């Protein structure tokens, strides 16, 4: 119900987001969009898409927001990317601003993992926005992890040999891997 209320106050999607409309977004009291740094965390294999999130980055810049595109290697495991995100968040927070993480797909999982694995980030992170993040696991990743033919063809040959990635970037998104990670490293909901 609250979501629908907020959504109805925003301009239609074909309109450009204005500073006035942005003020309607549900930020914590005394925090405005311009008070934060924004770290965009890309999803799996998106390093192969040169214009990925380009429009979003340009819109953030148009609004005068401090936006950075994460330098994670999108074809690497969750823990590797979480460590990279930790470094980036700490670097961005040196400006005195808190960081809003915006993760798409696997990038949302990587960003949430950074907060779970490195609790010192909680004081630096104002928010985590997850867009299509498979936090509970991905059916495709699960199938790839549990089917020998698909695992050897898609992961070992295509991902590792052709794209020079790591199969664990996908295996980390299987249902069992995600559930195990969440059990071992719960997300600090009360702190971010």
């Amino acid at each position: 119900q609250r979501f629908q209320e907020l959504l109805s106050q925003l301009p239609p999607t074909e309109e450009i987001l204005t500073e006035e409309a942005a003020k309607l977004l549900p930020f914590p009291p005394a925090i405005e969009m311009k008070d934060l740094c924004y770290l965009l965390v890309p999803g799996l294999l998106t390093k192969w898409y040169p214009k990925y999130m380009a429009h979003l980055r340009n819109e953030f810049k148009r609004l005068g927001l401090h936006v950075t595109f994460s330098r994670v290697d999108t074809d690497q495991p969750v823990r590797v990317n979480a460590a990279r995100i930790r470094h980036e968040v700490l670097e961005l927070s040196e400006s005195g601003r808190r960081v809003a993480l915006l993760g798409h797909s696997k990038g949302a999982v990587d960003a949430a993992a950074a907060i779970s694995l490195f609790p010192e980030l909680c004081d630096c992170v104002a928010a985590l926005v997850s867009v299509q993040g498979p936090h509970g696991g991905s059916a495709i990743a699960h199938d790839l992890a549990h089917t020998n033919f698909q695992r050897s063809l898609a992961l070992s040959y295509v991902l590792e040999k052709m794209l020079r990635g790591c199969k664990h970037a996908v295996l980390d998104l299987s249902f069992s891997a995600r559930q195990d990670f969440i059990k071992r490293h719960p997300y600090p909901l009360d702190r971010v």
Side-chain angles (χ1 to χ4, degrees):
Q1 184 177 357
R2 176 79 173 128
F3 175 78
Q4 292 300 327
E5 177 186 327
L6 293 169
L7 184 62
S8 69
Q9 296 174 9
L10 294 175
T13 55
E14 63 274 359
E15 290 184 23
I16 293 175
L17 182 64
T18 62
E19 288 188 43
E20 294 76 34
K23 289 178 183 177
L24 298 172
L25 296 172
F27 283 93
I31 293 182
E32 294 184 23
M33 283 184 79
K34 290 186 178 185
D35 296 336
L36 304 173
C37 292
Y38 297 86
L39 181 61
L40 305 180
V41 186
L44 182 66
L45 301 175
T46 54
K47 70 181 183 184
W48 300 102
Y49 299 90
K51 296 285 186 180
Y52 180 73
M53 289 189 175
H55 183 73
L56 180 63
R57 280 184 286 186
N58 291 337
E59 285 299 298
F60 271 57
K61 288 177 183 177
R62 184 185 58 76
L63 289 170
L65 303 176
H66 183 271
V67 61
T68 301
F69 195 75
S70 176
R71 296 177 304 271
V72 296
D73 184 340
T74 63
D75 306 351
Q76 292 301 308
V78 168
R79 287 176 186 269
V80 171
N81 287 346
R84 178 72 200 161
I85 292 166
R86 174 190 177 271
H87 173 77
E88 292 173 338
V89 167
L90 292 175
E91 189 176 276
L92 288 169
S93 68
E94 287 177 0
S95 69
R97 294 180 180 184
R98 294 180 73 204
V99 178
L101 298 168
L102 285 84
H104 173 245
S105 190
K106 182 180 178 287
V109 172
D110 293 339
I115 296 168
S116 296
L117 291 170
F118 306 107
E120 68 270 20
L121 295 183
C122 292
D123 294 332
C124 304
V125 174
L128 167 64
V129 178
S130 173
V131 180
Q132 299 174 320
H135 297 280
S138 159
I140 293 171
H142 187 79
D143 289 348
L144 288 171
H146 292 89
T147 307
N148 289 333
F149 177 73
Q150 290 176 340
R151 184 173 49 235
S152 67
L153 178 65
L155 298 181
S156 296
Y157 182 72
V158 175
L159 184 61
E160 291 188 320
K161 289 188 175 57
M162 288 180 63
L163 300 177
R164 305 263 190 248
C166 177
K167 65 183 174 186
H168 292 286
V170 173
L171 296 176
D172 284 353
L173 299 178
S174 70
F175 292 124
S176 53
R178 291 302 310 140
Q179 295 307 309
D180 182 57
F181 184 91
I182 291 167
K183 183 178 177 183
R184 291 174 190 256
H185 310 284
Y187 185 81
L189 285 171
D190 58 327
R191 296 194 59 204
V192 176

